[in-house]
Amino acid sequence: MHHNNQLSSFSTSTQASNDLDLSTKTCVPCNSKEMKPMTEDAAHSLIPQVSEWNLVNEGGSLKLTRSWKVKSFNKGLEFFRVIADLAEAQGHHPDLHLVGWNNVTIEIWTHSVGGLTENDFILAAKINELNVHGLLRKKASD
């Protein structure tokens, strides 16, 4: 009987590990010559894994963007501090915008290749996992 339990718990854990989560991966150094930006198709296949991020094409360069509304200008700066610590740890730095005192937009792309790489999706997934709820405005119910 005990043996069966072990089997079933084993099968559920392998199930989970097959679906390797982007947020558990680490950014790889982007200075390698072989690194090329991914195609729009590849980007579209990954975008469902980073909820609330949008794919934008700026003059032929793909970028990931996501916006938040923060409670105050200072909370926006705190938000950026949290993002900065993550970016430093990953060695991959997003573009940060704080507009109109409480609108925060983050753009992620791999500057060295002029487009998107898996690193960008990894960073977006990790940003999605940050606990920043205390810094954000409650969604206006409209």
Side-chain angles (χ1 to χ4, degrees), residues 97-111:
H97 306 272
L98 178 52
V99 183
W101 75 266
N102 75 336
N103 296 296
V104 174
T105 299
I106 294 185
E107 287 185 322
I108 307 179
W109 51 295
T110 302
H111 299 73

Side-chain angles (χ1 to χ4, degrees), residues 68-136:
W68 294 260
K69 267 203 178 354
V70 287
K71 288 178 178 170
S72 67
F73 185 78
N74 276 333
K75 293 278 192 253
L77 296 178
E78 273 180 62
F79 183 84
F80 284 166
R81 182 76 261 154
V82 175
I83 302 289
D85 291 342
L86 172 65
E88 281 295 308
Q90 292 296 315
H92 196 53
H93 301 92
D95 294 351
L96 309 174
H97 306 272
L98 178 52
V99 183
W101 75 266
N102 75 336
N103 296 296
V104 174
T105 299
I106 294 185
E107 287 185 322
I108 307 179
W109 51 295
T110 302
H111 299 73
S112 57
V113 301
L116 289 176
T117 62
E118 191 186 44
N119 284 350
D120 301 303
F121 286 90
I122 292 170
L123 190 61
K126 288 182 185 294
I127 288 172
N128 280 0
E129 302 229 309
L130 294 172
N131 182 6
V132 291
H133 298 299
L135 305 175
L136 302 178

Side-chain angles (χ1 to χ4, degrees), residues 28-39 43 58-64 91-93 108-121:
V28 298
C30 3
N31 48 12
S32 96
K33 297 263 181 290
E34 294 79 65
M35 210 159 181
K36 298 208 169 15
M38 65 173 63
T39 63
E58 267 182 24
S61 296
L62 293 177
K63 297 180 179 183
L64 292 174
H92 196 53
H93 301 92
I108 307 179
W109 51 295
T110 302
H111 299 73
S112 57
V113 301
L116 289 176
T117 62
E118 191 186 44
N119 284 350
D120 301 303
F121 286 90

Side-chain angles (χ1 to χ4, degrees), residues 16-75:
S17 64
N18 285 344
D19 187 42
L20 246 189
D21 196 354
L22 281 170
S23 64
T24 61
K25 293 186 173 185
T26 307
C27 291
V28 298
C30 3
N31 48 12
S32 96
K33 297 263 181 290
E34 294 79 65
M35 210 159 181
K36 298 208 169 15
M38 65 173 63
T39 63
E40 202 153 346
D41 285 349
H44 277 292
S45 70
L46 282 175
I47 198 86
Q49 292 188 53
V50 287
S51 62
E52 297 189 58
W53 287 83
N54 301 298
L55 206 50
V56 295
N57 188 328
E58 267 182 24
S61 296
L62 293 177
K63 297 180 179 183
L64 292 174
T65 71
R66 185 177 168 190
S67 298
W68 294 260
K69 267 203 178 354
V70 287
K71 288 178 178 170
S72 67
F73 185 78
N74 276 333
K75 293 278 192 253

